[in-house]
Amino acid sequence: MSELQEIWQRAYQIVPEQLRLMSSVQRTVTAFNTNIDAVVKISGERLAQLAHDVGLTATDLQNTETKLNTPKDVVRGIIKCFTSGIAEEWLCEDKSVYEWMRDNLGYDRLQMGGQAGIVANVLAVAGVQKVLTHTNSHPRLQAEQFVDADNLFAVEADGTARKACQINQTNDEPLIHQIIEFDAGDAFVYGEKTHICPKSNRFIATYDTANIELKINDGFIKYLNQDGFDYMILSGFHALTAERGGCQKIDEVLPLIYHWKQQNPHGVIHLELASTQDKIVRAAIINKLAPAVHSVGLNEREALDALEVAEPEMFAALEGATLPVPVLFDILLKLKEKLKTPRLQLHFFGMYLTVQNKNFTITPEANKRGMMLAATVAASKAGTGNIENRENLLWAHGMKIGAVAEDNMHRLSQYLAVPELERNGITSYDDMDLIAVPTILVDKPKTLVGMGDTISSVSLVGAR
Ligand code: GLC
């Protein structure tokens, strides 16, 4: 083990204690999108078969449309993500295309989906005293995706909160998203060419009649107004489109956010960006929602997407380029300047980076501890495939940080000319604090969906 790995392994020793501290958090709210994920692992060979079955041509592959209008679009989306090792989510508004997916892709398992649902489960298992989550469809199948925990609540249509796993609104339709995962190193052969998948990742094909419009459960809003929170994790705006009134929806949510801030002056509101295809909606999220909240979480792909609307010139200059740590750092700084959010956290393979205003309510040291807890929980999720049992949360505890992570720390330190940064993870930059943490990497992740949501929420709520 290298010296740097040893240093960080020692730093990571605080993680079990940090997890215990999460039980001192009283109330956390997660909203808005909760759904059911139908997860299937696809091989390169199966993908080639699907491409053949739908008659996908080389011309089809040139198509840049990111809406699922036909089965060909579904296959094209999977191919795009598989061959580049990236994560994207495309929307489907045609029931027959959804039925094609259901019949032709199938699934290996059903699990909790949507940022609000995923984060609610993680925080409840981690021991937050009360987690309240938003659902806009809560049939039994949805209820079954919630962990059976006495600290996890959702609100029924009439405004009463009940254990989320016990609600059964029989008239609601289950909202099922197709998650297609693939493995790094797998080969997809198309015509003469063999494409090797560079990174394990997933493609999400979403057919969802409620979250697509960000349908809000009025009972939840009423309940929340009486109850309050210490932390609120918001997401679910990424499925909106300008065509379907997405920008108006954002305008409707803004006054709610201001109201919640006023009612909960000590509460921290975090917005998790997600893969937002509609650029007009993406711009509204960036220009209106991001400045209204205290904290924003994003991955490198979402950072680029955000840059595209916030600073198109810088985006154009970076198109097609690789994104080593110094470049990601520059993007993060630019976004910090443009979004005007007090705290931004970027997570990518091997590293989490947080930049925040000097006077932010969470200290850099607490952030660092929360980020190490998050990295452990995320690696545990990847390694076990399931962190719905508390025993699994610390599965990765004691493992060393990955070589890529070590290299990331080294490069950032060099770039900023702050030698101690790679060892202690904290420095000042202009009038901000910067916190960088190298992560534990799991070789063959059992699952990846929901990783970013887990990282952002545990980093924040676990920052104590
Ligand atoms: C998006 C998808 C959802 C998935 C989640 C994971 O919200 O719509 O299906 O569970 O991302 O982050």
Side-chain angles (χ1 to χ4, degrees), residues 293-338:
V293 298
H294 303 100
S295 167
V296 163
L298 69 180
N299 65 23
E300 77 272 38
R301 171 87 213 164
E302 291 151 11
L304 263 189
D305 285 349
L307 194 70
E308 185 179 11
V309 294
E311 188 71 17
E313 276 167 28
M314 183 170 171
F315 172 79
L318 286 172
E319 253 207 302
T322 55
L323 300 175
V325 175
V327 178
L328 285 170
F329 176 76
D330 287 346
I331 295 176
L332 184 64
L333 274 197
K334 181 51 81 184
L335 291 177
K336 178 78 181 66
E337 174 198 325
K338 291 279 166 181

Side-chain angles (χ1 to χ4, degrees), residues 209-225:
T209 48
N211 287 310
I212 209 169
E213 311 212 316
L214 203 93
K215 192 172 144 219
I216 295 180
N217 170 350
D218 295 331
F220 169 89
I221 303 289
K222 225 165 72 192
Y223 183 86
L224 183 58
N225 284 341

Side-chain angles (χ1 to χ4, degrees), residues 15 71 152 155 171 179 197 202 206 226 271 279 282 291 313 326 353 381 394 427 433:
V15 161
L152 176 49
V155 185
N171 290 334
I179 315 289
C197 172
R202 85 303 187 270
T206 292
Q226 294 149 11
L271 171 71
K279 278 192 210 156
R282 201 193 301 155
E313 276 167 28
L353 271 179
K381 182 176 165 83
L394 294 184
T427 189
D433 283 315

